Amino acid sequence: MKGELVWTTTGDRTRLNGFLVEAAAPKAIGIDAAVILHGLAGNFYSSSLLTFVARQLTTLGVNVVLANTRGHDFLNHSTQSGRSVLAGAAVENVDDCRFDVTGWVQFLAASGHQRVMLAGHSLGAIKSLYSQAHARHENVAGILGLSSTRLNYHQFATCSAREKFLSSFALAEEMIRANRSDELFRFEFPFPTWMGARSFVDKYGMENRFDWTNFIDMIPEPILLTFGQRELEEHPAFEGVEDIAAEIAERQPNVSMKKIVNADHFYVACFDQLWSDIELWLRHSFRV
């Protein structure tokens, strides 16, 4: 896929890199451009799922930026105010996504894109919803959220993987009390990785700051939430999510929900079915 390496600077002066792909066809929907956000420890170039979505959007006349957030990769060195800072999924504060998303939307708006869609996978979907709820940008016209995990302490503490979660949470709290809050530790749930104790408690704590079900009603723009059938049925982190998403879609006319048959968290071998539902939503919600 041909495109151009681009970058933007956020409101807190963090530099983020991305990849701009221009539309491959005349405009077919009422969206000028899209910002596509990676999931946990991802980046703008490594996801076959997001690359596929980007390519399909260009066939509808939409320009696309595959965008890094400061939480890209496991750890990275970002530039903030001209200085190198340690960042990445292991140490990020998800709340900072407000700066990242706004920076990318402003990048597109500055070049004449007035109606921008946010599209994210997993944590990227959560960041899309959270940023528009807490730092609404007037140029955002809609949100596509692919497999947005519900970051809810009670849900995780009562699901079938609760013992793994609770033991990891207790360890993170112990590390914070011992002034080891920035030290990384290994955990298995909700997804196996390493993370700093402070970041773990902030992301998965009892305050439920990043549980999208708590703030999705603050977003008036059209929203499509998609989930894979297999992740809903098999992954403990998604227990109960289907019923909650369906209830939200029932009471909020701007929210739609689709379950993709046989799909896992990454929609392996289900790209075409996923795109079929996305395109129907796009053509219905954003008529030219």
Side-chain angles (χ1 to χ4, degrees), residues 4-52:
E4 176 187 1
L5 288 171
V6 294
W7 58 273
T8 190
T9 301
T10 67
D12 64 344
R13 301 186 61 77
T14 299
R15 175 170 168 146
L16 301 173
N17 298 309
F19 190 70
L20 174 64
V21 184
E22 294 189 352
K27 188 173 181 178
I29 59 174
I31 293 292
D32 300 322
V35 177
I36 298 186
L37 302 172
H38 57 80
L40 179 70
N43 50 54
F44 72 79
Y45 54 82
S46 63
S47 170
S48 57
L49 168 63
L50 297 183
T51 300
F52 171 81

Side-chain angles (χ1 to χ4, degrees), residues 119-261:
H121 174 241
S122 195
L123 183 58
I126 295 171
K127 289 178 177 180
S128 298
L129 295 165
Y130 183 86
S131 62
Q132 189 63 359
H134 295 88
R136 188 173 185 274
H137 199 291
E138 62 182 2
N139 290 103
V140 173
I143 298 175
L144 168 62
L146 309 176
S147 296
S148 49
T149 317
R150 186 181 174 212
L151 304 186
N152 183 280
Y153 178 90
H154 178 74
Q155 179 197 348
F156 289 171
T158 56
C159 74
S160 57
R162 56 186 174 275
E163 291 183 4
K164 291 181 179 179
F165 173 71
L166 290 173
S167 62
S168 297
F169 200 90
L171 175 59
E173 290 187 313
E174 180 182 337
M175 291 170 66
I176 292 173
R177 287 193 296 269
N179 294 320
R180 298 164 54 204
S181 58
D182 294 328
E183 185 176 323
L184 304 186
F185 74 104
R186 171 80 179 181
F187 59 91
E188 298 298 321
F189 180 84
F191 298 101
T193 188
W194 293 73
M195 191 174 292
R198 189 205 319 271
S199 295
F200 184 90
V201 171
D202 182 62
K203 185 177 294 183
Y204 305 121
M206 298 179 188
E207 296 81 5
N208 301 324
R209 295 177 63 199
F210 308 112
D211 179 353
W212 54 268
T213 67
N214 291 335
F215 48 76
I216 194 171
D217 60 351
M218 299 167 62
I219 307 170
E221 290 78 22
I223 299 170
L224 173 62
L225 303 173
T226 73
F227 301 94
Q229 178 188 12
R230 287 176 53 196
E231 69 180 346
L232 291 172
E233 295 177 354
E234 300 171 7
H235 199 298
F238 286 89
E239 290 178 10
V241 169
E242 180 178 3
D243 290 340
I244 293 173
E247 290 175 8
I248 291 172
E250 180 70 22
R251 70 172 185 261
Q252 288 186 231
N254 65 309
V255 178
S256 302
M257 193 271 280
K258 290 291 183 180
K259 179 171 65 174
I260 309 304
V261 176

